[in-house]
Amino acid sequence: MNRKAARATISDVASAAKTGKTSVSRYLNGEQHALSPDLKQRIEAAIAELNYRPSQMARGLKRGRTRLIGLIIADITNPYSIDVMNGIESACRAQGFTLLMCNTNNEVDQEQHYLNLLSSYQVEGIVVNAVGMREEALSHLQQSLLPMVLIDRKIPDFDCDVVGLDNAGAAAMATDHLIAGGFRTVMFVTEPLGMVNTRHERLQAFKQTMSRYADCQAEQAEIALGDAAALDRVLGDFYQRHSGQRCAVMVVNGALTLQVARSMKRLGLNWGEQMGLLGFDELEWAELAGVGITTLKQPTWQIGYTALEMVIRRIEGDTRAPQERVYPGELIIRGSTK
C-alpha cells in the first residue's frame, strides 16, 4: 500500500543540512546575514530536496500574528454579497492577509458556530456582510471583542465601523428620476422593515422626496420575499387603481426586484409600458429583461475593499470613534422607466 509521504519538518531540514533548528529558523525568518555562505547554501539545498514548506499558521502564532481575516456572509447566493467579497479579497491580497469566508445561509445557529470557529483560528479581525441577516443572528456579533467592520447594515446599540451605500442620496436620486420621467404615483415595495436600517433609510428618503411634489402620490408595501401570492395581489391592485395615469414601482433590493419582475409577468404587465419599474442593486439580467430594467447600482467592490482597509486600521490600533463610510450609487437607466 502506498502511503502519502510525511510532510517534512524543520528538524528534517536541519538534519539534512547538518546544522541545528535555530540556524534553519534564522534562514526562514530572513536573518540570513547571520549565516555563513556555506551554511546558507546547505539549508537552501535541504529545503529544495525535502520540498519543505513552513507552516504559515505556526509562524504567525509564534509572532502573535496570523494575518487571517474572517468574513461572515448571510447569503452567498446574493449577487451583492459576491461582488462585495471580491472587493474584500482584492484588499486582502494587496495588504498581505488571507481571507476565511463563512456563509451562514441565513441560519442563526450557524452564525454563532462560525464566530466560534473564526476565534479558534485566531483571526485578527472580522468583516460582516449582513445583507439578509436576521436580528437574532446580528445580536451574537456584539459578544465578539475582535476588530470588526459591518457592511450594509448597522446593529442597534452596537458601536462599530460600518461601510455601505449612501441610502438617502441613492433613494432620492431614484425618486427624482421617476418623477422627471412623468410618473405621478410611485409605490415603494420592500421586504418587512424590521430593524434593517437600509430599508428604513431608503423608504424614508423616498417619502421625503415624494413629499416635495404636490401633484404626486406615494405608496408603500411590505412583502415577504417568498410570498408570491401577496405580491401579485399588491401589484395587481396598485395597477388597477392607477392604470389611468403613469405609475411606477420602486423596489428596495435586487432579490425582491426579481420577484416583482416575475409577478408582473404573471399579471401580464409590461414594465416600461403599463407600469414603470426601478430596483436597487444592479443585476446581470436587468438589461436583457424586456426593454431592460432601470437599477440603482451600488459600488459593491469599493465597499468591500474599504471594509477590509477599515478593519486593518483597527487591527493596527486605531482607537478613534466608530466611523460610517458611505458611497454614492449610480443610476443605470433602461427602458422600464423611459
Side-chain angles (χ1 to χ4, degrees):
M1 179 183 297
N2 291 327
R3 293 186 177 180
K4 187 176 179 179
R7 180 172 177 170
T9 66
I10 192 171
S11 296
D12 296 329
V13 174
S15 177
K18 295 182 173 55
T19 186
K21 289 194 295 183
T22 300
S23 295
V24 178
S25 293
R26 285 178 176 173
Y27 177 90
L28 295 172
N29 291 328
E31 302 174 23
Q32 298 177 16
H33 62 277
L35 307 174
S36 69
D38 176 65
L39 179 54
K40 186 167 67 170
Q41 186 176 20
R42 295 204 313 269
I43 293 173
E44 287 175 351
I47 289 174
E49 180 185 351
L50 296 171
N51 193 29
Y52 173 70
R53 296 291 183 271
S55 169
Q56 297 301 324
M57 176 70 76
R59 295 177 71 189
L61 291 173
K62 186 175 181 180
R63 297 178 185 140
R65 296 290 303 271
T66 63
R67 300 198 75 78
L68 295 175
I69 297 290
L71 170 62
I72 295 180
I73 290 180
D75 180 10
I76 193 60
T77 65
N78 189 319
Y80 173 94
S81 299
I82 295 172
D83 290 343
V84 165
M85 184 173 65
N86 284 334
I88 295 172
E89 200 275 331
S90 295
C92 277
R93 281 189 279 111
Q95 300 283 349
F97 281 78
T98 298
L99 186 67
L100 298 181
M101 192 279 292
C102 301
N103 174 36
T104 68
N105 200 31
N106 287 312
E107 297 176 9
V108 176
D109 58 341
Q110 287 297 309
E111 164 71 13
Q112 189 61 52
H113 166 72
Y114 281 130
L115 269 177
N116 295 337
L117 183 65
L118 291 174
S119 295
S120 70
Y121 275 101
Q122 299 191 37
V123 297
E124 296 189 38
I126 297 178
V127 177
V128 181
N129 181 4
V131 175
M133 198 172 285
R134 291 173 290 182
E135 280 71 26
E136 183 180 355
L138 288 169
S139 66
H140 291 154
L141 295 173
Q142 301 184 51
Q143 303 169 20
S144 175
L145 300 178
L146 287 167
M148 185 183 305
V149 173
L150 301 177
I151 288 178
D152 184 69
R153 285 180 60 181
K154 304 170 187 175
I155 301 176
D157 303 318
F158 181 39
D159 289 332
C160 186
D161 292 323
V162 182
V163 59
L165 178 71
D166 175 5
N167 290 299
M173 176 170 60
T175 306
D176 283 332
H177 165 70
L178 291 175
I179 300 304
F183 296 100
R184 288 297 170 261
T185 303
V186 183
M187 180 169 65
F188 190 95
V189 181
T190 177
E191 294 182 66
L193 293 170
M195 299 293 290
V196 183
N197 66 285
T198 53
R199 297 172 190 169
H200 282 279
E201 290 169 7
R202 293 171 190 177
L203 174 60
Q204 187 63 27
F206 161 76
K207 292 164 66 175
Q208 289 177 347
T209 305
M210 288 292 292
S211 69
R212 300 203 308 265
Y213 301 98
D215 61 336
C216 295
Q217 181 179 351
E219 297 186 17
Q220 68 183 83
E222 294 183 43
I223 308 290
L225 189 61
D227 196 342
L231 188 55
D232 288 354
R233 286 194 301 271
V234 167
L235 293 180
D237 173 70
F238 176 71
Y239 176 70
Q240 286 192 6
R241 287 187 291 108
H242 302 292
S243 59
Q245 60 179 309
R246 295 264 288 167
C247 61
V249 173
M250 184 187 300
V251 191
V252 73
N253 59 40
L256 191 56
T257 299
L258 174 59
Q259 300 309 315
V260 168
R262 285 173 169 166
S263 177
M264 290 181 68
K265 284 289 188 181
R266 289 193 296 268
L267 295 170
L269 299 175
N270 295 322
W271 48 81
E273 296 180 19
Q274 289 107 321
M275 187 186 300
L277 175 61
L278 185 154
F280 274 74
D281 298 333
E282 171 64 343
L283 305 162
E284 288 187 354
W285 52 268
E287 65 177 334
L288 306 175
V291 295
I293 296 175
T294 296
T295 58
L296 195 293
K297 182 179 180 180
Q298 299 195 51
T300 46
W301 188 92
Q302 183 63 57
I303 287 171
Y305 199 100
T306 299
L308 195 279
E309 291 182 323
M310 292 175 75
V311 81
I312 289 177
R313 282 200 293 271
R314 293 300 181 188
I315 291 169
E316 293 175 346
D318 187 346
T319 58
R320 288 178 294 178
Q323 299 177 328
E324 181 176 2
R325 186 80 61 83
V326 296
Y327 289 95
E330 176 187 0
L331 199 60
I332 309 296
I333 301 172
R334 299 188 177 98
S336 67
T337 60
K338 288 183 179 179

